[in-house]
Amino acid sequence: MYWTKQQSNISISFAISIVVLHILLFPYYIMPLPILFTGLGVIIFFIAGLQYYSQAWSKKDSFIHRIFVHSFFYRLIAIGLLYLLTLLYDPANLPMEVYAQDSWNYHYSGIMVADAIKDGRSIFITLSNFWRSEADYGFSIIIGFFYAVFGKSILVIKICNAILGSITVVRIYQITRISYDERRARLAGIITMLMPPLLWFTGFFLKETFLIFIIVHIAYLINLIIIHKKFRVINSLIVLVLFGAVFYFRVVLAPLLLGCIILQILCYKTTNKNYRLSSIFISILFVIGSFWVMNVLGMNKHIEAAIEASKDQFGTELSTTSQKRGISYAAAIVSPLLVAGAIITPFPSLLNFEEAQLGIFSHFQNEIIRNCLYFFVFIGLYRAYKHRQRGVLFLGGFSILYILILAISGISFQDRFQILALPFLIIFMADGIVTTYPKKNMYWIRYLSVIFAAILLWNLFKLSNRGLL
């Protein structure tokens, strides 16, 4: 049995208890009841679904087909629910999400790309008049291509997100099967299929779902390159293409991905005597190819700028994101907390004390589930370190280093940035859940007690910061 009834009861009790406590302590700041009950319903559905699917599908055939179809179905439901949320609380932003800002910019830039394609004009010159950096071109180009083919419909992009998200679920299952075993792979696929934060961003008109798709496919291809000789060169070239695409989405990811790729290839342990020589050759190919891609795309200047800007990045990012959330932080006090709790954060905002909070507390269920289950991520990471599991170096290296970058930048408490590491962390989560560990549930309850206190303190801090206590 993967996920037990006892674990379900613990999870649901934790979620309901933290919500009820905030209702009792802060009755004047209760969020709208439809959002509150929907969020609790999502939590209960996820936990119950995790228990059901992990048992019912443990021996089922055609598992890949099953998780793809179910993933697509649940992602379509998520799109519908987000439409309903916007209709009820921010109808002016339909058909986007509540308080959409970047989404409209992507939509308008996508229209410009579609028109440029139709008129035979340069896409890059067109986007240079809209975006300040080529690092923002990627999603606009994707949108423009679909608009040119299917018409300028926002729903088309969201359905595309649902398809890509469902393929990502399949890839997580396949990566876990290669790195661990079938049992953990099925659980990882089921968790990814049901995970509310991933469903949530499917319904957003943002680049995160597509970017996750690229990163997960790079991880999958790296695994194929390591374990299969056939198509090794072709898969390497595909990785370089995907690597080049990353520059047009988020520049900082490119050097991180390259480093993790080289680390995985060189440090992978195998009995194949010829692998060591081929791994060195492939690593050299990736290094040379990556620099060639950077020069061709003209992205080397952005790498240099990113490194230069990183000197003052913490203070700038912390200040900017704090202002957006209406919170005033003393960096010297908060920064150690951000680094220490980077993987666990963000904590859920459960109180409704100003209009701007709607876009934050409306997804409280996402944070509660992540906070609750990350205990098993830590078990999985510890086991990978203890047993020297070199097959997960890319997965663990990318997740930890990326979150560390977020923490140093002061933006680890933003779910939109954190979401990129979630699929790989789910793999470690599955290992932590499946592994039998002495007194595991007892330690988990202790962990949840700490998280319970942290969530309460976080919401108290937000009220205190606004002088509402």
Side-chain angles (χ1 to χ4, degrees), residues 149-258:
V149 175
F150 299 104
K152 298 167 185 176
S153 170
I154 291 173
L155 181 60
V156 168
I157 305 301
K158 294 190 176 186
I159 292 176
C160 177
N161 274 348
I163 295 172
L164 295 179
S166 301
I167 297 173
T168 299
V169 173
V170 173
R171 288 290 184 247
I172 289 297
Y173 160 74
Q174 293 171 324
I175 292 170
T176 312
R177 187 176 59 183
I178 294 171
S179 303
Y180 289 96
D181 54 36
E182 181 69 23
R183 189 181 181 192
R184 288 167 173 80
R186 292 198 174 208
L187 183 59
I190 290 167
I191 295 173
T192 311
M193 176 181 75
L194 299 172
M195 183 59 74
L198 296 174
L199 296 175
W200 178 265
F201 278 97
T202 298
F204 275 53
F205 202 85
L206 296 172
K207 61 185 176 183
E208 273 63 34
T209 298
F210 196 87
L211 192 49
I212 289 173
F213 174 81
I214 293 176
I215 295 169
V216 169
H217 268 74
I218 289 176
Y220 175 67
L221 291 172
I222 291 301
N223 274 284
L224 293 185
I225 290 169
I226 288 174
I227 64 176
H228 295 306
K229 291 182 180 179
K230 195 175 182 181
F231 304 121
R232 186 169 280 175
V233 174
I234 294 175
N235 287 332
S236 298
L237 293 176
I238 295 174
V239 169
L240 285 175
V241 171
L242 295 175
F243 177 79
V246 168
F247 282 104
Y248 291 109
F249 284 85
R250 199 162 288 165
V251 174
V252 71
L253 291 177
L256 175 59
L257 285 169
L258 178 60

Side-chain angles (χ1 to χ4, degrees), residues 250-390:
R250 199 162 288 165
V251 174
V252 71
L253 291 177
L256 175 59
L257 285 169
L258 178 60
C260 292
I261 288 171
I262 302 302
L263 181 68
Q264 179 67 86
I265 292 175
L266 289 178
C267 296
Y268 182 73
K269 189 175 182 180
T270 176
T271 56
N272 187 346
K273 296 180 180 179
N274 297 323
Y275 177 76
R276 182 55 54 201
L277 181 62
S278 62
S279 67
I280 295 173
F281 172 76
I282 294 172
S283 297
I284 293 174
L285 171 66
F286 273 119
V287 172
I288 295 174
S290 299
F291 278 100
W292 180 79
V293 168
M294 281 191 289
N295 287 327
V296 169
L297 298 179
M299 287 296 179
N300 51 325
K301 62 180 180 292
H302 293 291
I303 295 291
E304 295 170 2
I307 294 173
E308 184 66 26
S310 66
K311 296 176 181 178
D312 300 316
Q313 191 174 20
F314 180 85
T316 302
E317 295 283 5
L318 187 60
S319 174
T320 302
T321 54
S322 299
Q323 289 175 6
K324 286 182 180 179
R325 290 177 171 246
I327 299 175
S328 187
Y329 296 101
I333 297 176
V334 177
S335 57
L337 299 177
L338 293 175
V339 174
I343 292 182
I344 303 173
T345 55
F347 294 121
S349 295
L350 298 169
L351 304 177
N352 179 22
F353 45 80
E354 62 186 20
E355 184 178 354
Q357 291 295 305
L358 173 62
I360 300 175
F361 64 67
S362 59
H363 54 78
F364 74 91
Q365 65 278 354
N366 299 347
E367 281 72 51
I368 287 181
I369 288 174
R370 289 174 66 254
N371 297 158
C372 180
L373 295 185
Y374 269 36
F375 169 79
F376 301 103
V377 173
F378 293 126
I379 292 179
L381 289 171
Y382 172 73
R383 277 177 40 80
Y385 170 77
K386 180 180 179 181
H387 298 290
R388 302 293 190 270
Q389 293 174 275
R390 299 187 181 186

